[in-house]
Amino acid sequence: MTDNTASVLRQVDQDLEKSLERLFALLRIPSVSAQPRHAADCRNAAEWLRTEMEALGFDASVRETPGHPMVVGHDRAAGSGPHVLFYGHYDVQPTDPLALWKSDPFDPKITTEADGRKIIVARGASDDKGQLLTFIEACRAWKAVHGALPLKISILIEGEEESGGANLMPFLKANAEELKADVALICDTGMPDRRTPAITTGLRGLVGEEVVIECATHDLHSGMFGNAARNPVELLCKALGSVRDDLGRVLLPGFYDNIVVPSDAVRAQWRAIFPDDSLTLKPVGLSKAAGEAGFTAIEQIWARPSYEINGISGGYEGDGFKTVLPARAMAKVSFRLVPGQDPIAIREAFRAHVRAVLPEDAKVSFTEHGASSGFAVPEDGPFLSTALAALGEEWGVKAVSIGCGGSIPVVAEVKEALDMDSLLVGFAQDDDRIHSPNEQYGVESFHKGIRSWVRILDAFTTR
Amino acid sequence: MTDNTASVLRQVDQDLEKSLERLFALLRIPSVSAQPRHAADCRNAAEWLRTEMEALGFDASVRETPGHPMVVGHDRAAGSGPHVLFYGHYDVQPTDPLALWKSDPFDPKITTEADGRKIIVARGASDDKGQLLTFIEACRAWKAVHGALPLKISILIEGEEESGGANLMPFLKANAEELKADVALICDTGMPDRRTPAITTGLRGLVGEEVVIECATHDLHSGMFGNAARNPVELLCKALGSVRDDLGRVLLPGFYDNIVVPSDAVRAQWRAIFPDDSLTLKPVGLSKAAGEAGFTAIEQIWARPSYEINGISGGYEGDGFKTVLPARAMAKVSFRLVPGQDPIAIREAFRAHVRAVLPEDAKVSFTEHGASSGFAVPEDGPFLSTALAALGEEWGVKAVSIGCGGSIPVVAEVKEALDMDSLLVGFAQDDDRIHSPNEQYGVESFHKGIRSWVRILDAFTTR
């Protein structure tokens, strides 16, 4: 660490309250990208970020797409060192079921946990507003102390990460010359526990599908037609209930073809962090890994593909009982993919599986909700060891390479469109409840996250 | 037909506009018994009926139950003839999906069909407000012409037929002496086509169940936990998708034990009315009977038990996509039963089937929504042939005995509590869309329904 950095870290500590106030301002904007009624909120979040970046001296702009806008900013004044592109997303997941939130998801609060940890509670606190601001606040501290950044920085914040992200790839390609840098930095991942900093080097891809099955022309009375009229909910259950066998293995033809199983060495490293499945499952009230037999829970999440039903709906869902025979049933289904799997082939195999159970009176329609491959970040990339070392200094614990069960399509897209590798540095915790009611982000994650970026930027300038 | 009756029928014709106005007033009351927010509306409907009955000279009262109230009225002034108990229900089904209604379900309208038929469109138009008023308006016409009813009449209107009807049986038992008559008349069934009047002599029972499966303590991110955490929606699909085989046969042990198959003679009579399945299925956009192979569609509905999923819900059901791994899934399921089946045994067999597919991390809970046996009305009951003859006179077509796929638990309950047989006379049409959006009732059903009751009451006095 240079003297330059020590003064910036002190600035981060002194400015923490104001950093939190800025985060709260961003969290108050309900930028739910999946819901059309929040389109103006998404734009407001983009404008808020542009204004903040401009205040820091970035050449910043809100950039139109066919969907929600992007925010792009550049400060390339530094005369030496590499050029980094930081990526984050300002959009957040929907909040339902709203009734399960203990407070308004868009009225952020700091509360204290039983163990004394202070946490920020709000939709987007962790995913990804809190995380993306760690980087921007690190830039702010550099500017406040030195009047300049330590290296060339570009920032790209998108607004459709939680809703398919269809416009990112075209945007990257159309603006490749502007956005090209030496490495991409992404803050949208987590730590394996509260003390061990980590860089994520494996990511799962995602195939999202919406299935609608329709039979009769309208809802029927189950007494007047029950038994003789096709029930689309039953057909949907038959189709979706037969994708995996009782041992957790997906039965779609070719599903596991070409998958690379992690080496024994990698599996051993993971087992050192997660000696048994209870560390993974007990915090959410479960005891037994539900995926393929023969893999630990963390292996099932980090290195094996999944099949999940994300939502299902049909017929009468309200109070009491209604003897309706529904005309329509809907489900949202996704597969998390690992490197080697072909998203398009898996989408087609799933559709064929559904079609195969349908009799002549059932119509099915499918809607795509994204398709991305699993991705492995090269272990020997140019910045990985430098960043791991900087993280270790900040947290006082050796930083590790881990997998991630989630999908961050930007990694593959940045590789394809800009021919750049990404470094996934994040500070989220497993109990952050991202995508769930009462999403949270530790004040420590936010504070030490900012400090971590200060150290990483410094390390990159001197490597 | 006596001269007495001819003048009453003329009165029915002259008063039709006002009869429709009264029906509209009742249809405007949103008496949805399954939804607690409509409790006051249910009471308003009961009070409206009490007021109307009192105006006709009935000794009428609204009677409390632990749920929605009953309405009871008596006019036992007639010096001769049998004593009849009329039963109907003032409560209606919920209106969702509301978006599919072409007009406000509680703002009744008369519209004209392509074939020139005039229909009344509103929730409850057919089931059961329109039907029950045919009887009350018949009483009104008798009173208007002759100042008295032709025989002793008691009326019982309940308010929980669409929501389990748990309070009817205790009420019948507690008031058996007051309610006992020579025969029960029930107007809650239909005609096999537009021209053929019918009395329903077979009814299916119903077992209603709500199933909730819960796994993790809260909704999870499908990336962070997908594959390793149990998905309750998948388990629910596995359980509900495996109740019937691909030939439409329910696989629960003992499900078909002791069922009486209709005689060849009865099946031949039904085939004469429904020479092929298209008459049953084509009007709702279907082509192939979905139940057990070897039975026609109408046999599957009238004489075979059914399994239906009436509603299902879990995870994210809104716009776009949410990569949630739900903590909870819910379904509403029902079985329609025929005589010989034991509702309690079938409920237990279903619960055992669901429990058998659940791994250790899944919790299940069940909620009962009614249990009633299938029922056959005696073909040789004392009033059947008289009523069939009166119906035939009104419609100019020989009246027939038919089955019904629906459940009208009151028939079995009246038999048990009051030791009375029931006569199920109704004027609904298959395209009345009961329980569906845009429920309707033909003006002809209403008008000729009133006239039919005038003739039946007359025929009972002189038989």
Side-chain angles (χ1 to χ4, degrees):
Chain A
M1 184 175 71
T2 63
D3 288 347
N4 275 352
T5 305
S7 54
V8 179
L9 292 175
R10 278 194 302 276
Q11 169 66 20
V12 169
D13 297 345
Q14 286 161 11
D15 201 37
L16 179 61
E17 284 306 311
K18 286 187 177 155
S19 295
L20 284 166
E21 282 172 24
R22 287 184 285 269
L23 172 57
F24 275 35
L26 181 57
L27 290 172
R28 287 191 191 102
I29 305 172
S31 46
V32 181
S33 59
Q35 297 173 334
R37 68 177 185 275
H38 286 298
D41 299 311
C42 289
R43 182 166 298 271
N44 287 345
E47 288 291 348
W48 187 93
L49 284 161
R50 182 190 59 77
T51 305
E52 288 297 312
M53 284 191 233
E54 272 185 354
L56 293 181
F58 280 77
D59 174 13
S61 54
V62 170
R63 308 280 280 270
E64 298 307 319
T65 76
H68 303 301
M70 308 274 174
V71 190
V72 177
H74 303 287
D75 183 333
R76 290 171 285 209
S80 65
H83 177 192
V84 301
L85 171 68
F86 178 81
Y87 164 90
H89 64 92
Y90 65 74
D91 64 319
V92 299
Q93 282 277 316
T95 55
D96 65 289
L98 192 58
L100 297 186
W101 284 80
K102 289 175 194 155
S103 57
D104 182 342
F106 297 111
D107 181 11
K109 299 203 180 338
I110 290 183
T111 63
T112 305
E113 295 286 87
D115 61 5
R117 291 174 65 234
K118 291 199 180 300
I119 55 167
I120 303 149
V121 181
R123 170 56 86 228
S126 177
D127 181 18
D128 183 45
K129 289 173 174 175
Q131 300 242 60
L132 80 85
L133 272 198
T134 58
F135 188 86
I136 291 176
E137 292 299 304
C139 293
R140 185 187 306 276
W142 271 104
K143 285 265 178 154
V145 172
H146 299 296
L149 297 174
L151 37 63
K152 297 183 186 67
I153 296 179
S154 295
I155 296 178
L156 167 65
I157 313 289
E158 79 155 313
E160 297 181 306
E161 200 270 348
E162 304 291 7
S163 56
N167 294 305
L168 180 63
M169 189 64 169
F171 187 83
L172 292 176
K173 285 185 172 167
N175 299 280
E177 201 171 337
E178 175 186 355
L179 296 170
K180 171 79 176 160
D182 297 308
V183 67
L185 303 176
I186 299 177
C187 192
D188 202 13
T189 50
M191 295 164 53
D193 57 36
R194 301 225 190 279
R195 308 284 0 133
T196 313
I199 294 181
T200 300
T201 57
L203 287 170
R204 291 196 292 190
L206 176 78
V207 168
E209 280 280 282
E210 187 167 326
V211 192
V212 172
I213 298 179
E214 292 173 293
C215 293
T217 50
H218 57 277
D219 284 359
L220 305 174
H221 185 301
S222 74
M224 299 304 139
F225 287 94
N227 215 25
R230 284 286 165 205
N231 187 320
V233 182
E234 186 184 6
L235 296 173
L236 190 61
C237 287
K238 274 187 188 293
L240 302 188
S242 56
V243 170
R244 291 209 298 184
D245 67 16
D246 291 340
L247 294 173
R249 199 169 162 83
V250 172
L251 298 170
L252 303 182
F255 188 77
Y256 295 100
D257 288 358
N258 306 317
I259 287 183
V260 181
V261 178
S263 68
D264 288 348
V266 169
R267 291 172 78 172
Q269 187 186 347
W270 291 353
R271 269 194 220 106
I273 308 176
F274 296 96
D276 67 67
D277 288 352
S278 72
L279 276 177
T280 313
L281 297 176
K282 206 172 167 191
V284 299
L286 300 174
S287 64
K288 189 169 187 308
E292 300 153 88
F295 293 92
T296 68
I298 208 69
E299 287 168 348
Q300 289 179 8
I301 295 167
W302 284 357
R304 300 297 296 176
S306 76
Y307 158 68
E308 297 299 341
I309 306 170
N310 306 102
I312 194 164
S313 172
Y316 184 65
E317 306 175 23
D319 294 335
F321 207 85
K322 187 174 170 183
T323 50
V324 65
L325 201 167
R328 181 181 191 276
M330 182 282 295
K332 297 173 197 272
V333 166
S334 60
F335 296 90
R336 298 280 176 175
L337 307 187
V338 299
Q341 289 183 295
D342 175 357
I344 305 306
I346 285 168
R347 186 194 297 289
E348 287 310 317
F350 171 70
R351 291 182 176 187
H353 172 85
V354 174
R355 289 193 187 101
V357 308
L358 298 186
E360 59 193 284
D361 278 335
K363 293 180 291 291
V364 65
S365 62
F366 298 95
T367 306
E368 295 188 18
H369 286 286
S372 62
S373 304
F375 200 81
V377 179
E379 287 274 349
D380 59 351
F383 297 93
L384 181 61
S385 58
T386 306
L388 283 170
L391 283 170
E393 278 182 41
E394 170 60 25
W395 293 80
V397 174
K398 182 174 160 56
V400 295
S401 292
I402 60 172
C404 171
S407 304
I408 308 184
V410 65
V411 176
E413 292 172 353
V414 159
K415 182 71 183 177
E416 182 182 338
L418 309 180
D419 192 25
M420 282 162 65
D421 285 321
S422 295
L423 220 50
L424 294 146
V425 183
F427 311 100
Q429 295 290 329
D430 278 347
D431 59 358
D432 277 359
R433 295 174 177 255
I434 67 170
H435 293 209
S436 293
N438 307 306
E439 179 177 347
Q440 65 181 41
Y441 195 48
V443 171
E444 183 181 42
S445 290
F446 186 61
H447 182 192
K448 290 181 79 71
I450 301 170
R451 290 176 53 102
S452 296
W453 284 120
V454 167
R455 290 180 190 268
I456 289 170
L457 295 181
D458 176 61
F460 281 0
T461 62
T462 56
R463 76 179 252 284
Chain B
M1 183 173 72
T2 63
D3 290 345
N4 276 351
T5 305
S7 54
V8 179
L9 292 175
R10 280 194 300 276
Q11 169 66 19
V12 169
D13 298 345
Q14 287 161 10
D15 201 38
L16 180 61
E17 284 306 310
K18 286 189 178 153
S19 295
L20 284 166
E21 281 173 25
R22 285 183 286 267
L23 172 57
F24 275 34
L26 180 57
L27 289 172
R28 286 189 192 102
I29 305 172
S31 46
V32 181
S33 59
Q35 297 173 334
R37 68 177 184 276
H38 285 298
D41 299 311
C42 290
R43 182 167 297 273
N44 288 345
E47 287 291 347
W48 187 94
L49 284 161
R50 182 190 59 76
T51 304
E52 288 296 311
M53 284 192 235
E54 272 185 353
L56 294 180
F58 280 77
D59 173 15
S61 55
V62 169
R63 308 280 281 270
E64 298 307 320
T65 76
H68 303 301
M70 308 275 173
V71 190
V72 177
H74 302 287
D75 183 333
R76 289 171 287 207
S80 65
H83 176 195
V84 302
L85 171 68
F86 177 81
Y87 163 90
H89 63 91
Y90 65 74
D91 64 318
V92 299
Q93 282 277 317
T95 55
D96 65 291
L98 192 58
L100 297 185
W101 284 80
K102 289 173 194 156
S103 58
D104 183 340
F106 297 111
D107 181 11
K109 298 203 180 338
I110 291 183
T111 63
T112 305
E113 295 286 87
D115 62 5
R117 291 175 65 233
K118 291 201 179 300
I119 55 167
I120 304 149
V121 181
R123 171 56 85 229
S126 177
D127 182 18
D128 183 44
K129 290 173 174 175
Q131 299 243 60
L132 79 85
L133 272 197
T134 59
F135 187 86
I136 290 176
E137 292 299 303
C139 293
R140 186 187 305 276
W142 270 104
K143 284 266 179 157
V145 173
H146 299 295
L149 297 174
L151 38 63
K152 297 182 186 69
I153 294 179
S154 295
I155 297 179
L156 167 64
I157 312 290
E158 78 153 316
E160 296 182 307
E161 202 271 348
E162 304 291 7
S163 57
N167 294 305
L168 180 63
M169 189 63 168
F171 187 82
L172 292 176
K173 285 186 170 166
N175 300 279
E177 201 171 336
E178 174 186 357
L179 297 170
K180 170 79 176 162
D182 297 308
V183 67
L185 302 177
I186 300 177
C187 192
D188 202 13
T189 50
M191 295 164 52
D193 58 35
R194 300 226 191 279
R195 308 283 2 132
T196 312
I199 294 181
T200 301
T201 56
L203 287 169
R204 291 197 292 191
L206 177 78
V207 168
E209 280 279 285
E210 188 167 326
V211 191
V212 173
I213 298 179
E214 293 173 291
C215 294
T217 50
H218 57 278
D219 283 359
L220 305 174
H221 185 301
S222 74
M224 298 304 137
F225 287 94
N227 215 25
R230 284 283 166 207
N231 187 320
V233 183
E234 186 184 8
L235 296 174
L236 190 61
C237 286
K238 275 187 187 292
L240 302 188
S242 56
V243 171
R244 293 209 297 184
D245 67 17
D246 290 341
L247 295 173
R249 198 169 163 83
V250 172
L251 299 169
L252 303 182
F255 188 75
Y256 295 98
D257 289 357
N258 306 317
I259 287 182
V260 181
V261 179
S263 68
D264 288 348
V266 168
R267 291 173 78 171
Q269 186 186 347
W270 292 353
R271 271 195 218 107
I273 309 177
F274 297 96
D276 67 65
D277 287 352
S278 72
L279 275 177
T280 313
L281 297 176
K282 207 172 166 190
V284 298
L286 301 173
S287 62
K288 191 168 185 307
E292 299 152 88
F295 292 91
T296 68
I298 208 70
E299 287 168 348
Q300 289 179 9
I301 295 167
W302 285 357
R304 301 298 296 176
S306 76
Y307 158 67
E308 297 300 341
I309 306 170
N310 306 101
I312 194 165
S313 172
Y316 183 64
E317 305 175 24
D319 294 336
F321 208 85
K322 187 173 170 183
T323 50
V324 65
L325 201 167
R328 182 180 189 277
M330 181 283 296
K332 296 171 198 272
V333 166
S334 60
F335 296 90
R336 298 280 177 176
L337 307 187
V338 299
Q341 289 182 297
D342 174 359
I344 305 307
I346 284 167
R347 185 194 297 290
E348 286 310 316
F350 171 70
R351 291 182 175 186
H353 172 86
V354 174
R355 288 194 186 101
V357 309
L358 298 186
E360 59 194 287
D361 277 334
K363 290 179 293 291
V364 65
S365 61
F366 298 95
T367 305
E368 297 187 17
H369 286 286
S372 62
S373 303
F375 200 79
V377 179
E379 287 273 348
D380 58 351
F383 298 93
L384 182 60
S385 58
T386 305
L388 284 169
L391 284 169
E393 278 182 41
E394 171 60 26
W395 292 80
V397 175
K398 183 175 157 54
V400 296
S401 291
I402 61 173
C404 171
S407 304
I408 308 184
V410 65
V411 175
E413 293 173 352
V414 158
K415 182 70 181 176
E416 181 182 338
L418 309 181
D419 192 26
M420 282 163 65
D421 285 321
S422 295
L423 220 50
L424 294 146
V425 182
F427 311 99
Q429 294 290 330
D430 279 348
D431 58 358
D432 278 0
R433 296 173 177 255
I434 67 169
H435 293 210
S436 292
N438 307 305
E439 179 177 346
Q440 64 181 42
Y441 195 48
V443 171
E444 183 182 40
S445 290
F446 186 60
H447 182 192
K448 289 180 80 68
I450 301 170
R451 290 176 53 100
S452 295
W453 285 120
V454 167
R455 290 182 190 267
I456 290 170
L457 295 180
D458 176 60
F460 282 179
T461 61
T462 55
R463 77 179 253 283

